[in-house]
Amino acid sequence: MKTKKLLFLIIMALMANAAFSPAWGGQVVTDSARAWAKEALAQEKALKAVATVNTVAVLYFFNQTGQVELDPLQKGLTVMLITDLAKVKSLTVVERIRLQALAEEMKLGVSGLVTDNTAPRVGRLLGAHWLVGGNFLGGPPSPLQIRSNVLDVPTSQITGRPGAEGVLEEILRLEKDLVFEIIKFLKIVPTPQEEIELQKPITINVKALFDFSKCIDLSDRKDYEQATKSCESALKEDPNFGLARDTLNELRSLGRPGAENKSINLLRSLRNQT
């Protein structure tokens, strides 16, 4: 029994290290991320409470506008928020691919992640103290209303409801308004340099943002060919869109042998021994 427990702790330690390593730093969900999600659910009862208070995870935002053409924002908005929150050194931000891998393993869609019953559990599985989720309403011709909740995972209590409102063409500004509201609710004071970095948009082109958001969703669906085309389109709209370029490079590297395969084989080997 002691050997079994020790092997389990080794597996979770390896996965935790992998989850915050550069290999996990992108937007394309890896086999390691999926293995982590499977193991986290299998060992859910053994998970310990979150030790780091300033650990935050961001869920997908549910499109309640009734306009399917805005669906890409469900993941696009989340990517923007994660990218910005990660610029604050006093915060530890859970990577999106962990959220996506967990959603796949739990067979939850965007709407399933934001329910009152599911959200606290997802937060615990992700190792987050704070969980940010929400929805957006309205949209053309009405103003777009972004509503979010800041959930204290250990208590399952909502401690803040930051939001932003404006026309769709202002989505890049709305995201900035929202991220600063979230930081305020978390009682974090960014440094002057962090303030400057937080003001920088991930792109200056709304169409590029939508193309990139489609790329993320297509990649999650394992339609890597169309995902690649969407990222290429985003870069045509904004050649300086660094996140789109990095994701495109990830997509193009799919199938190349490397540490990813070695990592997953080691985890499987250890799990089989238990």
Side-chain angles (χ1 to χ4, degrees), residues 213-227:
S213 301
K214 290 174 185 176
C215 170
I216 295 297
D217 188 52
L218 288 164
S219 173
D220 289 346
R221 297 171 189 269
K222 300 183 181 180
D223 189 347
Y224 301 123
E225 182 179 351
Q226 291 303 316

Side-chain angles (χ1 to χ4, degrees), residues 69-80 96 171-172 202-203 205-221 227 230-231 234 241 243-244 247:
E69 62 271 21
L70 299 185
D71 279 355
L73 284 180
Q74 294 181 135
K75 292 183 178 179
L77 182 57
T78 296
V79 172
M80 285 194 289
R96 189 199 72 85
I171 185 61
L172 299 171
I202 66 168
T203 178
N205 187 299
V206 173
K207 186 178 185 307
L209 171 63
F210 269 82
D211 286 339
F212 172 70
S213 301
K214 290 174 185 176
C215 170
I216 295 297
D217 188 52
L218 288 164
S219 173
D220 289 346
R221 297 171 189 269
S230 289
C231 264
F241 195 167
L243 197 53
T247 304

Side-chain angles (χ1 to χ4, degrees), residues 84-91 180 183 188-200:
D84 275 342
L85 290 172
K87 295 174 181 177
V88 182
K89 292 182 179 180
S90 57
L91 286 175
F180 278 106
I183 290 172
I188 299 292
V189 180
T191 66
Q193 183 57 41
E194 287 171 346
E195 289 257 9
I196 293 172
E197 292 300 316
L198 286 168
Q199 293 289 355
K200 296 178 181 178

Side-chain angles (χ1 to χ4, degrees), residues 59 108-122 131 151:
L59 300 180
L108 295 173
V110 171
S111 60
L113 284 170
V114 297
T115 65
D116 293 340
N117 293 329
T118 305
R121 182 187 177 201
V122 170
L131 193 66
L151 178 77

Side-chain angles (χ1 to χ4, degrees), residues 42-64:
Q43 305 294 344
E44 184 174 359
K45 291 182 180 178
L47 292 177
K48 295 182 179 180
V50 180
T52 306
V53 174
N54 286 342
T55 301
V56 59
V58 184
L59 300 180
Y60 298 137
F61 280 69
F62 185 33
N63 177 15
Q64 292 189 305

